[in-house]
Amino acid sequence: MIEPTLIVDPGFVHHRKIEAIVGKVGTEIINQEVGSIPRQTPDWKKEVAIDHIYSRITLDFCRVNEIKTLQEFLLDECGQLFCSIVDILPCAEIYDSNRPILKCKNIEGVNLKTEFHISSNKIRSETLKSGLNQGGEFAIIAQHYKKEGNTLIFHPLLIGYPYLADSKTGSLLWKKYTGFYQLHLEDFKEFEAVKEYPLPDSFEKMRYIKESVFKRCLGMILKESTPKDWGGESSDFFTSHLHLFERRLSAAFLLKGPAKYSPMTLSHLGKNSDQIVRLSKEPADVLIVQHCHDILPPVIETLKVFATQPSQARHYCVMDGRESLRMLKVFNLLDWAIKESCSSD
């Protein structure tokens, strides 16, 4: 069975900046891999292979050093690098300027603007140049240069398309990465029974179920213990007993009960949305956000950005009020959860 993994197909690679960032050890690894390219390799193919080597080593560096996403960098306003999939606005000057400026689509909950200043002669791929002209999602690793007013200016080390590839052979699968990494509750073997039942028309009953009780319901379904919350936790519930296509996975849950019974916005997630930031620090294969009400698109987009960071791409899932209520009904826990929530008042 094919096991997809996220890779970056680089079209912009700044070799000198990358070597300065990865240091002596990283540069030695790059040189060793470049030296292993067969001598008879055509020049054009050798250039492509070298760019892929720089790309892979830089991504490894970001993973080992836990380099931030762009969102986390903007929220903290500190650090030197970020590694993210970024939504870039169309850049009409990409064909005409030697030093075009790429601009990032505004990020919900962040007042700062973002620019990427690049040298057009380092764009090796016409496909990437055309893509930047039209705008879209690109994997970017960039170094902070300076701040002008409310704009942060970055110098990219790497820009490329995020693709799925076979983790064993490296062959491109030509599928959009989001379609693979976004999961739904019924995709997990432990919850697959829910797909036999329609989603409820209303999730009003979730108003009466406490977050702590919902967590205990998850524990009952997965046969996991549910320790009490404490202030320093990165997630509300953690399990290593989920299965996806017979593959065992770990999952970290961020749970939100009816204390704020309204559609989930980024303001539900702590100061500067730091609860998703903390959730992303968990050593989990899947990041799951659950809420007793609707979950609005900015929350889902933020979760996607943190989950699908190019250096450490993981699955993600959202459980809104309707999904949560359906789960409780399917496992005959709804009445118990309401009663238990009322009795603990």
Side-chain angles (χ1 to χ4, degrees), residues 75-185:
L75 291 169
D76 293 344
E77 284 195 64
C78 67
Q80 183 182 12
L81 296 175
F82 80 79
C83 173
S84 273
I85 292 175
V86 181
D87 198 345
I88 297 293
L89 296 172
C91 180
E93 62 178 349
I94 196 72
Y95 286 106
D96 305 318
S97 173
N98 293 326
R99 191 71 175 167
I101 297 174
L102 308 177
K103 296 183 179 181
C104 174
K105 182 179 178 182
N106 288 339
I107 298 173
E108 187 80 20
V110 176
N111 294 323
L112 294 169
K113 295 182 179 180
T114 306
E115 292 181 357
F116 304 100
H117 294 197
I118 65 174
S119 299
S120 58
N121 62 1
K122 292 190 182 299
I123 302 177
R124 295 180 181 270
S125 165
E126 284 300 320
T127 302
L128 178 64
K129 186 173 286 189
S130 174
L132 293 173
N133 176 253
Q134 298 174 25
E137 290 186 324
F138 301 90
I140 298 179
I141 299 174
Q143 184 177 25
H144 181 231
Y145 173 55
K146 64 179 179 179
K147 182 179 181 181
E148 292 184 349
N150 71 331
T151 300
L152 290 184
I153 297 172
F154 292 88
H155 289 168
L157 282 66
L158 175 70
I159 304 175
Y161 282 104
Y163 286 126
L164 289 177
D166 186 329
S167 60
K168 296 179 179 178
T169 66
S171 300
L172 291 178
L173 301 180
W174 302 107
K175 294 181 180 179
K176 191 168 176 61
Y177 72 97
T178 48
F180 171 70
Y181 286 104
Q182 183 174 15
L183 299 176
H184 303 284
L185 192 62

Side-chain angles (χ1 to χ4, degrees), residues 183-195 221-222 241-249 331:
L183 299 176
H184 303 284
L185 192 62
E186 61 265 27
D187 293 326
F188 301 105
K189 182 179 180 180
E190 288 71 18
F191 297 108
E192 63 183 0
V194 302
K195 66 184 177 184
I221 295 169
L222 298 173
H241 296 109
L242 289 182
H243 291 82
L244 178 70
F245 306 123
E246 306 304 322
R247 178 188 169 203
R248 183 169 170 173
L249 301 176
F331 290 96

Side-chain angles (χ1 to χ4, degrees), residues 38-39 50 69 95 139 147 160 173 177 183 185 204 210 242 246 268-269 291 297 345:
R39 291 184 179 180
I50 290 173
T69 62
Y95 286 106
K147 182 179 181 181
L173 301 180
Y177 72 97
L183 299 176
L185 192 62
E204 179 64 21
K210 290 186 172 182
L242 289 182
E246 306 304 322
H268 283 71
L269 300 170
H291 184 43
D345 285 336

Side-chain angles (χ1 to χ4, degrees), residues 245-291:
F245 306 123
E246 306 304 322
R247 178 188 169 203
R248 183 169 170 173
L249 301 176
S250 59
F253 288 74
L254 191 163
L255 308 176
K256 284 294 176 183
K260 288 186 178 180
Y261 188 70
S262 60
M264 179 184 277
T265 65
L266 292 175
S267 64
H268 283 71
L269 300 170
K271 184 179 180 181
N272 291 336
S273 310
D274 63 347
Q275 287 182 302
I276 284 185
V277 175
R278 295 204 307 271
L279 182 71
S280 71
K281 305 301 183 185
E282 288 278 35
D285 301 308
V286 190
L287 305 179
I288 302 175
V289 171
Q290 180 273 337
H291 184 43

Side-chain angles (χ1 to χ4, degrees), residues 205-219 226-230 233-237 253-261 264 268-269 275 278 289-292 324 327-328 336-338 340-342 344-345:
K205 290 183 178 180
M206 291 300 299
R207 179 194 291 270
Y208 307 106
I209 299 172
K210 290 186 172 182
E211 179 184 311
S212 59
V213 173
F214 187 85
K215 179 165 73 170
R216 289 165 62 190
C217 290
L218 286 174
T226 52
K228 291 184 178 181
D229 294 341
W230 61 285
E233 64 192 0
S234 298
S235 62
D236 297 303
F237 181 75
F253 288 74
L254 191 163
L255 308 176
K256 284 294 176 183
K260 288 186 178 180
Y261 188 70
M264 179 184 277
H268 283 71
L269 300 170
Q275 287 182 302
R278 295 204 307 271
V289 171
Q290 180 273 337
H291 184 43
C292 61
S324 301
M327 184 197 78
L328 295 176
W336 177 87
I338 293 175
E340 188 68 16
S341 297
C342 292
S344 60
D345 285 336

